[in-house]
Amino acid sequence: MRLTKDVIVSRKGFDPLPERLLLKGGRVIDVEENIDETLDVVIEHGRIVEVGQVREDGFNGDVLDCRGKIVSPGWLDMHVHLREPGSEGKETIATGSLAAANGGFTGVCCMPNTNPPIDSQEMIQYIKDRSKGALVNVHPIACISKNREGKELSEILELVEQGAVAISDDGSPVMSAELMRRALEYSKMVNVPVIGHEEDMTMTAGGDMHEGFISTSLGLHGMPAVAEEIMISRDIMLADYTGGRFHVAHLSTRKGVELVREAKARGIQVTAEATPHHFTLNEEAVLGYNTNTKMNPPLRSEEDRLAVIEGLRDGTIDAIATDHAPHSYEEKVMEYIYAPFGVVGLETALGLAGTELVKKQRFDWNQIVRLFAVNPYRILNLPIPVVKQGALANLTIFSPEATWTVKAEKFLSKSANSPFLGWKLTGKPVAVINNNQIFKSVL
Amino acid sequence: MVYSSKHLIGLSEISREDILTVLDTAKSFREVLDRPIKRLPTLQGKTVVNLFYEPSTRTRISFELAEKRLSADIVNFSASTSSVKKGEILVDTVKNIAAMKIDMVVVRHSSPGTPHLLARVLDANIINAGDGGHEHPTQALLDMFTIREKLGKLEGITVALVGDISHSRVAMSNIYGLKKMGARVLVCGPSTLIPRYIERLGVEVYHNIDEVIPQADVLNILRLQLERQRKGLFPSLREYHNYFGITRERLEKATRRLLIMHPGPMNRGVEISSNVADSDHSVILEQVTNGVAVRMAVLYLLAGGRSEIN
């Protein structure tokens, strides 16, 4: 067993985009623009100047062969832990951005459970400075409460003015219903969602995995699904009462999906995201005690997993977000109960969507593009990238048919705590284009 | 007969045949324990490490004696005297010990899955001496050995496990082992101490001890694992004793001769009253003696021995 991750890939940054670039022969999917056909795209100085039929011979510029590939508006992962500042040994804004680009994302939202947490103007500015000029846009999410203590509201108006796109105490739930109520009320003034990590900690303390038959067989303490559902239920009621916008992070249970579905039908302002590991794996993955199956919320029952997939299919769940949570090898090689919660996700999300949702569950890539490239922007009130003449080129190019094997050495994340190492996936990132830069995936 | 696995990690993972092999082999070693000279040269030249990350008296001494009786070289390691306090991770500790060329590791740890972790990183044979609330296979083997010795068989016998099932590795290993051997298994305890879905393992769940006693051939009485529990799972030791404690009065409901077992350590006056623990129904001390024989058998078989010893 290796004690360190050998990064054999020498890529350390993004390349400038050629002055003129032709994306030749790709299937362009732009749900917003109602496009799904084979089209050529010409980019000049980082801007799309033509979408149509363009002859390759005689084209004055570089050509990227996109035949058999999909060209989509740039993907946004709205739930990522970049670990900087505080735990730069696990990930930094730079390495997390590279991992995002490698996985097919042109944007990420970073969660504020850093050390110090993102609860001040200075911290928002720090994130912006550290990510400035990169291909990948980094959108900070600010804390709901000062110092993530769950006691007093942070300075939400100022944080949003400075650039926070949402507020969340992710990593911990807001246990106080009173504080959650006030967060939903107060954030209404600046129209940002309150992202809830839904877990009643009085029920989950000391737990290591989903409470069920497998936790009983393995002798591990359980974290029951109802602990998540109670909080989703509470926060839907609070969103209804206050008129605030509530977004459920990493929705993982069947009843949770039902609660969101009913709330949406009643017109309550609630949105939700789910992770690739929750739609791909169930609690049985923990058999054998691989600590890369330990995350929060935990891998649930098969019934829960299938309900999450149905939620993604019928629009109850708006977005796929990875909850990318890097941890070092030495922390994850610990005994199961001592290993920290969390798995990396940026570099396997596209392949897992292609494998589990498209190949096995017969989703159309249009649906996947909506879940990754449209709805996350909409939830956060960010402009949705489009494949259209005159628009800035913010694109994700991927091969829907390519199969590949997940290898830790190919990850650009500093960490490789993935339960999918060695898996064969269908659907592979090819390149991302944004901010007049290009990055070709090395997976 | 040969034991077919490299390790003894859990009874959920080994076959009925392997369990039988251990029980049969232990019978021969049990006789050795009654000889004036109790030492055999079987494991001469083999090195066994006893890696105890959790306090243990009975199990540690029992393994140590078993190893000594088989002439193994022994290294004892307990977490309080190791480099654990200097922040070394478990994998490094055990790799360092393994680098000193050892053959077998007996491990006890509070985290379920630790024996699996060791089996992944070491070449040595791993014996699980208790991993959190997961399994304690040698305890269940010695329990089954004792029942078999006293009642002549395991098939068709009704064994009731009484008490804190949720946090008991002894209960889990007993359930896996007894079910494989064809016994009927009842579990009885407060509803907050019975884990969800336990019935999927083929056991019957009871909350009233007075319904259990008339059906049982064996009562295996478990300790309240207070150190492993969340707070507030039951109101008081007093109420626990009044409703689930095994007392002489309760045993009058028995319809046949009952074997009283306990894996120890006992909390007298809580889960078991003294007049039961010390009664002639009790085989608690015989369990302890048999434990040495069973562990000798496991060590011997993992070292490549066959069940016919001489």
Side-chain angles (χ1 to χ4, degrees):
Chain A
M1 241 174 158
R2 292 165 309 110
L3 267 177
T4 52
K5 180 168 117 61
D6 318 305
V7 179
I8 58 163
V9 184
S10 60
R11 300 297 298 264
K12 287 281 171 254
F14 308 113
D15 293 324
L17 202 61
E19 264 182 44
R20 275 170 61 81
L21 177 68
L22 168 63
L23 308 178
K24 180 64 194 168
R27 173 183 168 194
V28 175
I29 298 181
D30 186 332
V31 184
E32 284 297 278
E33 295 290 308
N34 218 354
I35 303 171
D36 183 358
E37 59 183 297
T38 303
L39 290 168
D40 308 319
V41 179
V42 180
I43 302 164
E44 235 179 69
H45 301 292
R47 197 171 281 277
I48 296 170
V49 293
E50 194 175 349
V51 181
Q53 308 299 329
V54 180
R55 288 175 64 87
E56 197 174 338
D57 42 322
F59 178 75
N60 177 25
D62 292 23
V63 179
L64 185 65
D65 185 1
C66 292
R67 277 168 280 225
K69 301 183 172 72
I70 292 175
V71 178
S72 150
W75 289 16
L76 172 67
D77 187 343
M78 63 179 294
H79 192 139
V80 165
H81 298 272
L82 292 180
R83 304 295 188 212
E84 182 181 351
S87 300
E88 289 85 350
K90 303 179 188 208
E91 197 78 286
T92 64
I93 291 167
T95 60
S97 299
L98 274 168
N102 204 24
F105 293 95
T106 61
V108 296
C109 297
C110 60
M111 280 295 176
N113 60 336
T114 48
N115 187 16
I118 308 174
D119 67 349
S120 65
Q121 280 196 70
E122 292 75 17
M123 286 300 302
I124 299 276
Q125 194 55 48
Y126 175 83
I127 304 289
K128 284 164 75 179
D129 288 346
R130 299 285 288 170
S131 57
K132 202 166 159 184
L135 184 154
V136 174
N137 300 326
V138 178
H139 305 284
I141 293 170
C143 297
I144 293 171
S145 64
K146 288 189 185 116
N147 208 25
R148 291 183 66 247
E149 282 171 354
K151 290 178 185 153
E152 296 170 67
L153 290 179
S154 56
E155 294 171 331
I156 294 165
L157 300 183
E158 212 169 70
L159 289 162
V160 171
E161 193 183 339
Q162 199 72 20
V165 295
I167 54 169
S168 181
D169 276 358
D170 183 62
S172 313
V174 177
M175 284 302 295
S176 156
E178 164 64 12
L179 184 74
M180 191 63 177
R181 174 216 163 143
R182 298 304 174 194
L184 284 160
E185 270 175 352
Y186 197 80
S187 61
K188 265 198 326 186
M189 292 190 284
V190 279
N191 195 23
V192 294
V194 181
I195 302 178
H197 169 121
E198 304 302 89
E199 174 189 0
D200 185 327
M201 286 182 72
T202 63
M203 296 185 75
T204 58
D208 299 301
M209 70 171 294
H210 174 65
E211 181 173 289
F213 176 64
I214 305 291
S215 66
T216 294
S217 329
L218 291 178
L220 289 166
H221 282 293
M223 307 164 80
V226 69
E228 180 173 336
E229 291 148 358
I230 283 170
M231 294 297 269
I232 293 173
S233 179
R234 181 198 78 175
D235 292 344
I236 284 172
M237 289 169 133
L238 289 171
D240 188 18
Y241 185 64
T242 59
R245 286 177 57 205
F246 165 48
H247 176 80
V248 187
H250 37 56
L251 180 56
S252 74
T253 81
R254 178 178 63 80
K255 282 187 193 132
V257 175
E258 283 168 14
L259 286 164
V260 172
R261 190 176 286 130
E262 285 160 22
K264 282 186 164 182
R266 280 167 41 218
I268 298 168
Q269 295 202 71
V270 54
T271 52
E273 69 189 35
T275 72
H277 50 266
H278 286 115
F279 68 62
T280 305
L281 298 173
N282 64 29
E283 59 188 332
E284 289 178 24
V286 184
L287 292 167
Y289 301 95
N290 175 356
T291 55
N292 288 337
T293 61
K294 183 174 175 182
M295 72 282 287
N296 189 9
L299 297 171
R300 302 285 188 191
S301 70
E302 180 63 4
E303 186 192 19
D304 292 315
R305 185 184 79 88
L306 294 174
V308 165
I309 291 171
E310 286 321 300
L312 287 163
R313 199 195 300 276
D314 72 9
T316 300
I317 301 173
D318 304 83
I320 299 173
T322 68
D323 194 8
H324 179 79
H327 288 294
S328 63
Y329 176 83
E330 54 272 22
E331 279 178 299
K332 277 290 195 178
V333 78
M334 298 289 272
E335 300 88 321
Y336 205 89
I337 64 169
Y338 299 145
F341 291 103
V343 292
V344 289
L346 281 167
E347 292 165 276
T348 48
L350 195 155
L352 291 169
T355 307
E356 189 58 43
L357 299 182
V358 178
K359 205 171 150 190
K360 291 198 193 145
Q361 301 287 342
R362 302 280 153 215
F363 278 52
D364 188 273
W365 279 107
N366 266 284
Q367 290 169 282
I368 305 297
V369 167
R370 194 186 294 279
L371 291 161
F372 275 115
V374 178
N375 291 345
Y377 292 101
R378 183 165 288 146
I379 291 164
L380 299 163
N381 271 328
L382 292 168
I384 302 168
V386 285
V387 189
K388 187 182 179 182
Q389 192 184 340
L392 284 171
N394 180 347
L395 301 169
T396 291
I397 303 162
F398 60 96
S399 171
E401 306 292 341
T403 58
W404 58 291
T405 304
V406 181
K407 290 184 181 140
E409 311 86 82
K410 299 280 183 91
F411 284 172
L412 296 185
S413 169
K414 265 197 174 183
S415 301
N417 49 309
S418 167
F420 302 110
L421 298 177
W423 279 45
K424 208 162 189 186
L425 302 181
T426 302
K428 190 179 181 197
V430 172
V432 285
I433 293 171
N434 189 28
N435 296 331
N436 205 11
Q437 293 166 68
I438 185 165
F439 182 86
K440 290 183 183 163
S441 177
V442 295
L443 284 171
Chain B
M1 293 236 295
V2 182
Y3 180 84
S4 68
S5 179
K6 183 180 176 187
H7 310 292
L8 176 60
I9 288 182
L11 297 192
S12 62
E13 299 174 19
I14 66 170
S15 64
R16 175 191 159 90
E17 288 66 41
D18 280 347
I19 292 172
L20 263 177
T21 303
V22 175
L23 297 180
D24 288 344
T25 310
K27 217 184 271 178
S28 318
F29 285 116
R30 178 65 189 81
E31 286 155 19
V32 173
L33 294 181
D34 289 331
R35 294 182 193 164
I37 308 276
K38 299 174 179 65
R39 203 177 174 97
L40 296 170
T42 321
L43 290 188
Q44 211 153 44
K46 297 269 183 190
T47 307
V48 185
V49 180
N50 297 314
L51 202 60
F52 279 71
Y53 279 85
E54 236 186 14
S56 162
T57 310
R58 197 175 334 258
T59 304
R60 193 172 53 74
I61 292 174
S62 176
F63 266 109
E64 212 175 312
L65 269 175
E67 292 151 9
K68 283 182 173 157
R69 304 243 142 115
L70 294 173
S71 308
D73 295 322
I74 304 173
V75 181
N76 286 317
F77 172 102
S78 62
S80 54
T81 60
S82 75
S83 55
V84 171
K85 287 200 169 152
K86 298 175 195 158
E88 187 175 63
I89 64 174
L90 174 82
V91 166
D92 282 335
T93 306
V94 298
K95 279 184 170 175
N96 274 283
I97 295 172
M100 299 178 206
K101 304 296 174 196
I102 50 108
D103 301 293
M104 293 191 192
V105 176
V106 175
V107 60
R108 165 166 291 195
H109 197 289
S110 57
S111 178
T114 302
H116 301 74
L117 176 61
L118 298 195
R120 281 199 293 272
V121 300
L122 300 182
D123 283 332
N125 307 100
I126 308 296
I127 301 172
N128 182 2
D131 61 329
H134 175 228
E135 282 221 44
H136 190 354
T138 56
Q139 178 68 45
L141 287 167
L142 76 88
D143 291 345
M144 289 193 284
F145 181 91
T146 307
I147 296 169
R148 209 168 166 230
E149 194 183 40
K150 291 286 165 191
L151 303 178
K153 58 177 184 176
L154 288 164
E155 202 160 348
I157 297 291
T158 300
V159 180
L161 302 164
V162 182
D164 182 0
I165 310 297
S166 279
H167 304 85
S168 175
R169 51 195 174 208
V170 176
M172 293 307 288
S173 285
N174 263 287
I175 292 168
Y176 290 127
L178 288 165
K179 290 306 295 180
K180 280 184 182 165
M181 301 312 293
R184 177 178 172 225
V185 183
L186 319 179
V187 297
C188 179
S191 45
T192 47
L193 293 177
I194 307 272
R196 286 171 79 83
Y197 308 110
I198 189 85
E199 64 286 350
R200 283 203 211 165
L201 293 175
V203 305
E204 297 159 51
V205 177
Y206 286 86
H207 304 299
N208 183 347
I209 187 65
D210 295 325
E211 291 172 12
V212 168
I213 288 172
Q215 307 181 51
D217 299 300
V218 179
L219 292 184
N220 198 343
I221 303 159
L222 307 172
R223 183 174 66 90
L224 289 166
Q225 308 268 318
L226 295 172
E227 74 282 8
R228 247 191 283 285
Q229 286 178 11
R230 279 175 196 157
K231 283 200 166 60
L233 293 182
F234 64 96
S236 66
L237 291 174
R238 177 181 164 274
E239 176 155 307
Y240 183 87
H241 179 73
N242 287 345
Y243 286 81
F244 297 95
I246 304 300
T247 57
R248 180 60 68 85
E249 299 70 53
R250 285 221 152 90
L251 288 187
E252 279 163 17
K253 302 231 172 66
T255 53
R256 48 201 135 169
R257 191 179 158 79
L258 259 179
L259 283 190
I260 299 291
M261 301 175 68
H262 194 298
M266 280 188 285
N267 293 310
R268 287 171 182 262
V270 182
E271 71 267 10
I272 187 166
S273 65
S274 280
N275 55 14
V276 173
D278 303 330
S279 71
D280 53 3
H281 293 274
S282 163
V283 292
I284 294 170
L285 289 175
E286 286 169 73
Q287 286 174 271
V288 178
T289 310
N290 295 340
V292 178
V294 163
R295 289 175 178 119
M296 286 170 79
V298 169
L299 290 158
Y300 165 78
L301 290 167
L302 287 186
R306 304 177 66 84
S307 61
E308 309 83 32
I309 60 163
N310 42 38

